[in-house]
Amino acid sequence: SSGINAEYGGHILSLYLIDRPSTLYIIPQLPTAGLPNALLLPNMKWLLSFFISIIVISLSSAKLDGGGFGEAYHWVPWESAKSVAKVEGKPIMVILHKTWCGACKRLKPVVANSHEILQLSREFVMVNAEDDEAPAENAEFSIDGGYIPRIIFLDSDGNIRPEYTNVARGEKYKYFYPSVDEITRSMNNVLQGVAIKTEL
């Protein structure tokens, strides 16, 4: 990892670059101790929102197209998702899938080619977790089993909201979504049921 310092309003803001095998994350470290309120509010919050909006630079060709789920989406790695959600006041939508999974392969063009899902995705922090990428191995995301693909929703505070399920599925495989209508129905339900913070 390496660091970059930038001066803003007479104060130093530090950005740390963490170079991982496939992705470069730019994570802002914004010290607040001793800074005047006039700088912190609203300037520091605006800066934090701005930096988080641009912190993820994907260097992996597999991720440039969302792993098949669509390059038009703004995919955020799980490691950054909660921070982005908290700052932007948006819920999180997590797609858990495997490269070898037939149902996952069928879901990819459904999402990639859907204008409706793309439009709604702008109100979410979108996470595309392939194979063993986080949070795939987190047992909390296996609410009713470890089948794939699954779509799990979280609120802007990073809390899993298990009540948002595919109502068309009944009591089995409640987080499996094979169609655009089923996905957008749950996305709209989340947007209606989870308060979205509009002010930072």
Side-chain angles (χ1 to χ4, degrees), residues 38-173:
L39 178 63
L40 288 175
L41 299 172
N43 294 336
M44 291 298 289
K45 289 185 177 181
W46 181 89
L47 278 174
L48 182 59
S49 177
F50 173 75
F51 280 128
I52 286 182
S53 296
I54 61 171
I55 57 176
V56 182
I57 301 175
S58 177
L59 300 181
S60 167
S61 59
K63 284 299 182 185
L64 290 177
D65 64 351
F69 280 94
E71 60 183 6
Y73 291 85
H74 178 60
W75 301 109
V76 176
W78 174 247
E79 291 82 357
S80 304
K82 287 187 177 182
S83 297
V84 175
K86 194 166 188 66
V87 170
E88 297 188 355
K90 294 179 179 180
I92 303 171
M93 174 173 161
V94 179
I95 302 177
L96 302 167
H97 61 103
K98 305 284 187 183
T99 52
W100 48 262
C101 164
C104 302
K105 293 176 181 178
R106 290 190 291 273
L107 180 61
K108 289 179 179 182
V110 171
V111 174
N113 298 324
S114 171
H115 178 72
E116 293 88 346
I117 296 175
L118 178 61
Q119 288 292 104
L120 285 170
S121 76
R122 294 169 182 168
E123 303 299 329
F124 288 80
V125 175
M126 300 292 291
V127 177
N128 173 347
E130 186 176 77
D131 293 329
D132 296 329
E133 293 178 344
E137 300 304 312
N138 187 332
E140 293 181 352
F141 284 81
S142 297
I143 302 168
D144 64 342
Y147 58 89
I148 47 174
R150 303 192 303 283
I151 297 178
I152 309 293
F153 294 97
L154 299 83
D155 60 30
S156 61
D157 290 322
N159 302 307
I160 294 175
R161 301 297 296 265
E163 68 270 32
Y164 293 107
T165 65
N166 183 357
V167 295
R169 300 301 302 178
E171 291 302 313
K172 288 188 176 181
Y173 310 115

